[in-house]
Amino acid sequence: MSHDPIATISVMNTDGISCQGCVTRIRKALLAQDDQAELVGAPQAQLLLVHTRLGEEGVAKVAQDSGYPLTLAAPATPANLEINVYGMHCQKCVAKLRNAIQHWDSSATVSGTPADNVLQVSSWLPEALLERLVVEAGYALEPPAEGDTSADLTESDDTTEDHASAAEPSPASPTDSGSLELSLSGITCASCVATIQKTLDGLDGVEHAEVNFASRTAQVKSQLATTEIIAAIEDVGYGASVVKDPGANDAQQQEEADQEYRSRIRDSVLSLGIGIPLMISMFFHHPGFEGLERGVWLAIGVAVLGVLATAGRSFFTSAWKAFTHHQANMDTLVALGTGAAWLYSMGVLIFPETVPQAARGLYFEASTMIIGLISLGQALEVRARGRTQKALRALLDLQTRTARVIREGEEREIDVNDVRSGDHVRIRPGERIPVDGKVIEGQSHIDESMLSGEPLAVSRGVGDDVAAGTLNTRGSLVFEVERIGSETRLGRIISQVRQAQNSRPPIGRLADTISGVFVPSVMIIAIVAALLWFNVGPAPTGVHMLVVATAVLVIACPCALGLATPISTMIGVGKAAEHGVLVRSGEALQTASRLTALVVDKTGTLTRGKPEVTETHRVSGESEQEVLDAAHALERGSEHPLATALLAHIEAQRPEASRSKAFNDYQTISGRGIQAQDDAGRTWRMGNAAMLEDAGISLAPLSEQITSLEDNARTVILMARDNALIAVFGLADPLRDDSRDAIARLHAVGLKVIMLTGDNHHTAAAVARETGIDDYRAGVSPDDKHDEIARLQQEGHVVGMVGDGINDAPALALADVGFAMGEGTDVAIETAGITLMQPSLAGVADAIAISQATLRNIKQNLVGAFGYNLIGIPIAAGILYPFTGMLLSPVIAGLAMSLSSVTVVTNANRLRGFTPPGAARSRTDSTGNSSTMPQGESA
């Protein structure tokens, strides 16, 4: 029995690499041998960090193919390093860097002080490679020049006019974060997208690129200069510009869409205004080719040429541009079809004696009608496509344009882009909060429904956090600015929604592949069909050849193929955002629709995550003061909900405990608890029964109390000094109001729900009974969660995982789709594929319902797009002629083509009216307010 080689992470020495372009060449050679491999390079140190399944022979092959030597570096011992990192603004940035480093070294410890621009790392990775990981995560190793904040572009918008100017990537340097969003112009169909995609994928230094036809944007991760990327796109005939401000870019796109709509309508009216009368006349009169009538038809031919040169100008100029760049697109097909019809008609008029009598037909109306109908279809498509961005625009509308800043004791209203971290901002009743911060003066109620889904305004006073986009309903506040621009919570939501909308689910790859060869294939089919009709078709062969070739060219529609996936993805991601579900990528969206099992944590997922201490028991003779002081000293550094509850209880019972002396040598035992030593050398432990039993500590002194607490579904925390149990704390964490309904909704879509908890068996069993969970595991560690997900996957399940803590991150990463609670830790959110803004399991049911509706809609679009072309092209080629004695009119072909993409966009827009089944009821249950939202509509 054979086994796949195990992937290993190695540091390798090389020689001769001078830039990231060299690293990219090695990476391509590596991926040719192992398509799952990963590689990071530090040219200045001639070091590579490689994750691969290849053995020595495979690595030697990579070295030969790339032209660079590769040798395994000597094993390194872990070292403690301090790295200066610029662009960190908060612990979320530190969490992002921790995630990037632990991806390569799972044993690494990473902490940071953003205010001092210092990252502390303990790892076996060489410093040069650690610095490269920092850069690839989007941060800088050098302080920005005075007046330049390019190092901050990954996490924050700039705050002064100088900063604003620095926000544009330097044309001479690589993009700061490695990630770049470009707005594209000149693309008219899926073939254009395929051309740009192929161009970007072929650039050395581009690690990943995704071009989206529906939004006319490209997401590029690269180490190349921005100007190089834009120049490459321009070299194949298209335009590109950097998206610096999503709001401004959206406004510009709306304006351009309105202009395009008006232009297409104008072109359509002009073309159809001439084409319809011409077409009607053909039913009653056959053109004459002598005398005055011939002159009239020549004049009509000149008029039609005027229509092609004005209303049809965009098709011909785009086709010519594509031709000069050795490309072909949809406009090429339209230009060839309409141009051939006009040239044939003019040839018949000018040289009628050279054309057989039966073949003397004029097709001026075909040229104008095709231009008119396609322009009308494109106008309708533009209008329908504009509605797909409704959800994103609603988020953008939450951003304010100005802020009332207090500087030098004076209030002044300034542009929000000029606000700086540390500024004091005043908010009056009825105003939206412009940036994130902490209240330093005043008391008010804030409507945070856009972030939490909670319809009731929440009280906010001194020391409380406020978020951009939320609404101040009453009272006046002054707060200190902490995060600005894209670093605000609202900014991060907008960024994630945009990235997800521009990503492509795997289901669309076949359409992308076909789009790349679609237009040349159609041209070949048109030529072959024309030759067949010319050689073996009935008379008049010339007319039949022209009609068939024109109809084939005009009826083929790459636009429908190109729009089928991205347009539904954009709407689905936007619809998810409306329901408080942030999808990270199209792949996560698609995988969520196929889930068969869902693993959930208990605390903070099924329960409220706000436990309270209900009972405390001490061994006889133990001092309450010593127990409470020691418990506070042990737990004060933890962010776990149970620790928070313990600290609150202790401080209420004994306020002096908060001043107790801290312990030494803290050790957190994952999934078990915490231990430390006091100044007297005594070892203190707090955790679950497994932790104490592993240490050989007997639970007998308080066994009756422990059993009683467990029988009453309490979470039990045990406390020991040295080798003796001295106290036990019982905590209760009530279920969320909507947990039972959420589980029922998950069962309704066929999911098996498994609860994994570190809590005791009795508490886990009680929660499982009350919620209707299918199965549960109690007393599990984070490693056990990881192993359980692996076991379910081996059984053939597609597994989702819901978590909110740092210890959930490995399981979230292993699961096919990870769901992170929005109130959870940054590490969990960064690891997960989907983030739930509302701390409720109902969000998972909403996410799955929306993903299933979106994938169903995408499949409908793909079937329609493929089916249209597979049926339409053969009919246009004349396959039905032996049965009907008729050929498809090029005018009808043009109408069909114009309607095909409109049909796809219209079908996708049906998703906008979709509501997950049970969503309205769940919201009512969780908020206590009624809802009039419609129940699950199909899409």
Side-chain angles (χ1 to χ4, degrees), residues 241 296 688:
S241 59
V296 171
N688 56 23

Side-chain angles (χ1 to χ4, degrees), residues 698-774:
S698 172
L699 308 184
L702 294 172
S703 59
E704 290 184 9
Q705 292 88 338
I706 294 171
T707 301
S708 175
L709 290 171
E710 290 179 344
D711 288 343
N712 287 284
R714 297 291 190 263
T715 297
V716 178
I717 296 181
L718 307 173
M719 184 176 185
R721 182 182 59 237
D722 287 332
N723 295 316
L725 175 69
I726 63 171
V728 58
F729 298 85
L731 295 91
D733 187 9
L735 286 175
R736 295 187 183 278
D737 295 335
D738 60 351
S739 289
R740 178 182 288 276
D741 284 341
I743 297 296
R745 290 177 59 194
L746 294 169
H747 284 157
V749 294
L751 261 69
K752 178 181 180 181
V753 184
I754 304 102
M755 179 180 70
L756 304 182
T757 176
D759 215 334
N760 63 78
H761 175 82
H762 292 79
T763 301
V767 171
R769 275 194 312 271
E770 194 167 347
T771 57
I773 294 265
D774 297 295

Side-chain angles (χ1 to χ4, degrees), residues 130-170:
L130 286 171
E131 290 177 345
R132 184 62 209 168
L133 293 175
V134 168
V135 172
E136 293 203 353
Y139 300 91
L141 300 171
E142 299 291 337
E146 186 175 352
D148 173 22
T149 58
S150 58
D152 295 342
L153 286 179
T154 302
E155 297 296 331
S156 69
D157 283 345
D158 303 301
T159 57
T160 64
E161 292 180 8
D162 288 342
H163 293 172
S165 64
E168 299 184 28
S170 168

Side-chain angles (χ1 to χ4, degrees), residues 202-287:
L203 290 176
D204 281 344
V206 170
E207 299 172 14
H208 178 73
E210 219 159 26
V211 184
N212 188 291
F213 180 35
S215 63
R216 269 60 171 178
T217 59
Q219 300 280 347
V220 185
K221 185 177 182 182
S222 165
Q223 302 303 325
L224 296 178
T226 304
T227 49
E228 290 183 62
I229 298 171
I230 293 176
I233 295 173
E234 290 175 344
D235 284 345
V236 292
Y238 303 94
S241 59
V242 178
V243 175
K244 298 184 286 292
D245 180 357
N249 182 69
D250 181 72
Q252 182 180 347
Q253 283 190 332
Q254 286 191 70
E255 183 180 346
E256 291 174 352
D258 289 340
Q259 290 177 352
E260 183 180 359
Y261 176 77
R262 290 191 296 269
S263 174
R264 294 298 184 188
I265 289 293
R266 185 179 60 248
D267 293 343
S268 178
V269 169
L270 175 60
S271 300
L272 296 179
I274 293 177
I276 290 175
L278 278 176
M279 187 173 66
I280 293 174
S281 70
M282 291 297 181
F283 286 110
F284 305 102
H285 177 73
H286 189 275

Side-chain angles (χ1 to χ4, degrees), residues 349-370:
L349 277 174
I350 297 172
F351 308 106
E353 65 281 354
T354 64
V355 181
Q357 183 69 34
R360 293 180 186 176
L362 300 182
Y363 293 92
F364 291 131
E365 85 287 356
S367 295
T368 55
M369 289 296 291
I370 289 169

